Amino acid sequence: MGKDTLKKIVLLSPAFMLLVLLTGFAGGIHLQVDTDHNGRINVLKYSKSGNLLFSAGKDGTVRVWDIKIKKLIKLIRVSHLPLKMIALNPVKKQVAVLETDDISIFRISLWNWESGKIIFSYKLQSRPLFLTFSSQGNFLVAGEPNWQSLVVLNAENGKEEEIAWDIHGIVSFVTFSKNEKTMLIYQPSGKLLYWNIRTGETIKEISTFPNLSHIALSEDKRFFVAVYQESLVYIDLLSGIAVSRIESKGVIKTSISSGGSEVAGIVQQDGKTLVKRYLILNKSFYELGVSAPESGNGISSLTYGGNNLFLGYKNGSIMLMLPDGSYNKFTGNRLAEISNLYVLKNRLYVITPEKIYIFNSDFFNKPLSNFEKNGFALSLKILPNPLESPAGITFFSPDNLLLWRKGAAPGKVLSADPEMTYIDDFLSFDSSQIGRAHV
């Protein structure tokens, strides 16, 4: 392994928290793969398609988690700036993010989260109040806090759409009908406006509560939950009427479950950060309880994923709150003994007795200067070690690798393709000599 490659792995450590602990534990070299964010998680979003959880934070990364297996499946290094908002395209594998220093840089960028490639970026004049996609994913919409608030971008190329909508004043919430013919906006002056997108005509104007904040939309788009003064309100979007209201002081973030039967909020109260949950039954709020999960004061974000509630923390970890109110750690670090490392082109192979980690990124085979502006994408594939023991690895050709058992006789050698989609027996012999020769 060359010095430049080793330098890249070391530099990668704070970005992905891939820490190779060379001081040794129990007499061996160990690998700690830390999937947590490096610092505060600012936002969590759930994607029903694929049952995925998206997280973004202070470290400038977006991470994609498979909820079923509780594994990180994608990491995108977006920026050296914190990420404060994300929006998920409901149709395509795209994530939009807000990169900002909260002083002078307010930039939206759109990424293909599967490939890790940037599609476009767009500079705003100020921090937006929201960021969202239209129902079919054709528009990316943000609302700046000024008189001409709406910014509507073509989600294919990032160009501003020429719109006929004569909308003036601050807009703090937007949603679209399923066919994208109608747009509903909320203005802090206390208006709900339904607009025909194609003609720019007002379909309906409804009066409701002014200065609503921390809005969470129900899955059927019939209601939203919001904070009004020191209470939670449940607003009927066809009438603007609060069908239910409950006192809840100090709410700073809200989320509503997929079925619309439960609401949760992060609450700051008496110097503590708590989680409050409410049942919505017959359009009325019923408090389910107040809790202070592990490291409670560090809660910084939340979202429902189905019936489970995910909590993001200032230390970069994620907790899972189950329907019965109990908690489990969703993310966690893994420590394993390394028996071999190998870099070939854009892949880093890390071999442990139980697993094989294949890190795939252009970061490994391109100059570091290439990533200073747009960052880099890093995917991780985790496979069981078919030898179930310490193993060595080398490449017989660019398309064929050899994997052999170390320190055991008779030994075994396997051949495989670079992604290890197929694995064949190669030969059997005393591999202990090869293991010593390739340390």
Side-chain angles (χ1 to χ4, degrees), residues 121-141:
S121 64
Y122 181 89
K123 185 178 179 180
L124 297 171
Q125 299 302 310
S126 55
R127 178 169 174 168
L129 300 172
F130 67 88
L131 182 65
T132 190
F133 278 96
S134 57
S135 300
Q136 296 180 13
N138 292 314
F139 307 114
L140 178 61
V141 185

Side-chain angles (χ1 to χ4, degrees), residues 54-162:
F54 289 72
S55 60
K58 183 180 178 181
D59 60 3
T61 68
V62 172
R63 300 174 190 235
V64 187
W65 310 84
D66 185 313
I67 291 176
K68 184 177 180 180
I69 60 176
K70 295 184 179 181
K71 296 292 185 183
L72 178 71
I73 61 171
K74 196 70 181 179
L75 181 146
I76 307 169
R77 173 152 290 282
V78 172
S79 176
H80 67 283
L81 297 171
L83 308 182
K84 296 295 182 73
M85 295 180 180
I86 60 175
L88 304 178
N89 191 316
V91 177
K92 299 179 180 180
K93 293 181 178 180
Q94 296 175 347
V95 57
V97 302
L98 172 66
E99 312 164 40
T100 180
D101 61 0
D102 281 326
I103 300 174
S104 60
I105 301 174
F106 307 94
R107 183 170 57 235
I108 295 172
S109 57
L110 181 65
W111 297 73
N112 180 313
W113 63 259
E114 186 174 54
S115 68
K117 304 296 184 182
I118 188 169
I119 299 170
F120 65 77
S121 64
Y122 181 89
K123 185 178 179 180
L124 297 171
Q125 299 302 310
S126 55
R127 178 169 174 168
L129 300 172
F130 67 88
L131 182 65
T132 190
F133 278 96
S134 57
S135 300
Q136 296 180 13
N138 292 314
F139 307 114
L140 178 61
V141 185
E144 294 189 282
N146 55 46
W147 181 247
Q148 293 184 319
S149 182
L150 280 183
V151 177
V152 182
L153 304 178
N154 183 304
E156 289 291 330
N157 54 32
K159 294 182 179 180
E160 283 196 61
E161 291 284 337
E162 295 183 5

Side-chain angles (χ1 to χ4, degrees), residues 184 186 190-194 204-210 212 222-224 233-244:
L184 168 64
Y186 169 76
K191 291 181 182 178
L192 288 168
L193 299 174
Y194 286 85
K204 189 177 184 180
E205 180 176 329
I206 303 169
S207 296
T208 188
F209 290 82
L212 296 176
R222 175 63 194 278
F223 302 91
F224 68 45
V233 289
Y234 191 52
I235 303 292
D236 184 328
L237 297 180
L238 295 180
S239 66
I241 295 171
V243 296
S244 185

Side-chain angles (χ1 to χ4, degrees), residues 14-17 33-39 41 59 61 63 65 72 75 315-318 329-333:
F16 187 62
M17 301 303 286
V33 180
D34 186 346
T35 57
D36 290 351
H37 281 267
N38 184 19
I41 296 177
D59 60 3
T61 68
R63 300 174 190 235
W65 310 84
L72 178 71
L75 181 146
N315 65 4
S317 63
I318 301 174
K329 188 171 175 59
F330 182 72
T331 61
N333 305 333

Side-chain angles (χ1 to χ4, degrees), residues 301-312:
S301 55
L302 81 169
T303 192
Y304 277 96
N307 293 320
N308 297 320
L309 181 63
F310 294 90
L311 305 174

Side-chain angles (χ1 to χ4, degrees), residues 9-21:
I9 294 174
V10 172
L11 289 174
L12 183 61
S13 297
F16 187 62
M17 301 303 286
L18 172 61
L19 305 179
V20 182
L21 307 181

Side-chain angles (χ1 to χ4, degrees), residues 200-267:
E201 296 176 350
T202 304
I203 299 171
K204 189 177 184 180
E205 180 176 329
I206 303 169
S207 296
T208 188
F209 290 82
N211 301 316
L212 296 176
S213 62
H214 307 298
I215 295 172
L217 182 67
S218 66
E219 189 174 28
D220 61 6
K221 299 188 177 183
R222 175 63 194 278
F223 302 91
F224 68 45
V225 173
V227 176
Y228 176 66
Q229 295 178 349
E230 294 185 341
S231 61
L232 281 178
V233 289
Y234 191 52
I235 303 292
D236 184 328
L237 297 180
L238 295 180
S239 66
I241 295 171
V243 296
S244 185
R245 181 174 177 176
I246 190 169
E247 182 179 350
S248 188
K249 297 180 181 179
V251 177
I252 57 172
K253 289 190 179 181
T254 61
S255 182
I256 188 168
S257 64
S258 298
S261 61
E262 191 173 307
V263 172
I266 298 176
V267 180

